Amino acid sequence: MKILVIEDEPKTGSYLRQGLTEAGFVVDLVRDGLDGLHMALNESYDLMILDVMLPSLDGWRVLGGLREAGKDMPVLMLTARDRVEDRVKGLELGADDYLIKPFAFAELLARVRTLLRRGVMSKEPDMLRAADLELNLLRRRVTRGGRKIALTAKEFALLELLLRRQGEVLPRSLIASQVWDMNFDSDTNVVEVAVRRLRAKIDDDFELKLIHTVRGMGYVLEAPGQ
Ligand code: CA
């Protein structure tokens, strides 16, 4: 998860960068509003932490520019002033949450995690389905006909890909690059072996088969009538 921090106060900035990095996030820190907006528009971030009082472009204008450009990443605003009108203004401009300075880092981290979770949930369903097969993305759990199926991390990733693109024939090379993040030579059978293992777990004991081989092309997950 990548976070953009726009904060001109050096102490607060490095404090945020260090804390968030230690919490496992990738952090970019910018001290200027205009630079920050530029980075937010040109790079991909999961969340922005935005100070209100900034040089060259204040937090309100950064937020306005961001939303105008159609960027919907969650924004947590930092403000030194606990004023009702500031909060209203921020909400109207599309801020997702507020923190009044000075704040405890634990409080900020809790807000960041809540916003990220909310973002994930609104963007995608937490459940993928085909016939009686269910894959729960949040709990990382798979069931078929209500029966729990234990999968390895790679099998889970493979099934997730097939389910997300069900009905679509996926070439072995695409599966290899998406699930293993590697480009395999065409003669490798890594994908074949993984598909065979996955089938043994989710298809073999069931009359209705979901994973199909399309000769010379790849694999497709398909449930009839869906
Ligand atoms: Ca400031």
Side-chain angles (χ1 to χ4, degrees):
M1 289 284 194
K2 209 168 161 191
I3 297 179
L4 177 63
V5 178
I6 312 179
E7 165 64 85
D8 59 314
E9 213 269 302
K11 246 190 188 164
T12 313
S14 18
Y15 169 68
L16 284 173
R17 176 162 58 189
Q18 194 190 335
L20 290 167
T21 304
E22 280 168 10
F25 296 102
V26 176
V27 182
D28 281 342
L29 172 64
V30 192
R31 302 188 197 281
D32 171 286
L34 203 56
D35 290 348
L37 179 60
H38 182 78
M39 281 183 76
L41 294 180
N42 290 288
E43 313 240 342
S44 175
Y45 294 99
D46 299 292
L47 182 132
M48 179 194 281
I49 297 176
L50 179 61
D51 187 30
V52 173
M53 302 300 287
L54 289 169
S56 79
L57 202 63
D58 68 24
W60 307 124
R61 294 175 66 193
V62 172
L63 180 61
L66 188 74
R67 296 308 188 218
E68 237 166 70
K71 289 272 186 181
D72 62 353
M73 73 180 84
V75 175
L76 172 63
M77 292 202 83
L78 303 178
T79 171
R81 299 164 302 175
D82 185 10
R83 285 174 25 188
V84 175
E85 54 266 45
D86 274 358
R87 296 183 181 214
V88 172
K89 188 175 177 183
L91 289 175
E92 278 172 355
L93 285 167
D96 298 273
D97 202 358
Y98 277 89
L99 216 46
I100 310 293
K101 288 180 179 175
F103 52 85
F105 184 74
E107 171 73 9
L108 175 117
L109 191 58
R111 306 272 189 109
V112 163
R113 289 195 166 131
T114 301
L115 286 174
L116 287 171
R117 208 156 42 225
R118 205 192 289 166
V120 167
M121 284 180 352
S122 67
K123 262 180 226 139
E124 58 180 32
D126 53 1
M127 201 73 111
L128 300 172
R129 287 187 181 89
D132 57 350
L133 175 74
E134 289 189 343
L135 181 148
N136 187 316
L137 288 162
L138 293 179
R139 294 178 165 190
R140 317 280 307 164
R141 217 170 69 172
V142 175
T143 60
R144 183 145 188 206
R147 204 195 302 170
K148 208 172 150 188
I149 297 171
L151 297 182
T152 65
K154 286 296 175 205
E155 288 163 355
F156 188 95
L158 174 61
L159 182 59
E160 181 183 343
L161 174 68
L162 288 165
L163 275 166
R164 281 188 190 281
R165 299 178 65 168
Q166 56 186 289
E168 206 180 312
V169 179
L170 304 178
R172 286 176 185 79
S173 57
L174 182 140
I175 295 173
S177 69
Q178 298 271 310
V179 177
W180 283 267
D181 195 22
M182 282 174 72
N183 293 311
F184 288 102
D185 293 335
S186 53
D187 61 351
T188 182
N189 65 350
V190 169
V191 174
E192 258 176 71
V193 170
V195 169
R196 197 184 312 140
R197 290 205 176 124
L198 183 61
R199 270 179 166 154
K201 291 182 178 180
I202 70 154
D203 267 348
D204 281 7
D205 294 344
F206 299 85
E207 199 173 325
L208 177 68
K209 308 299 178 199
L210 296 173
I211 299 175
H212 309 276
T213 305
V214 183
R215 203 176 293 274
M217 293 182 75
Y219 301 98
V220 59
L221 188 148
E222 211 163 21
Q226 283 197 332

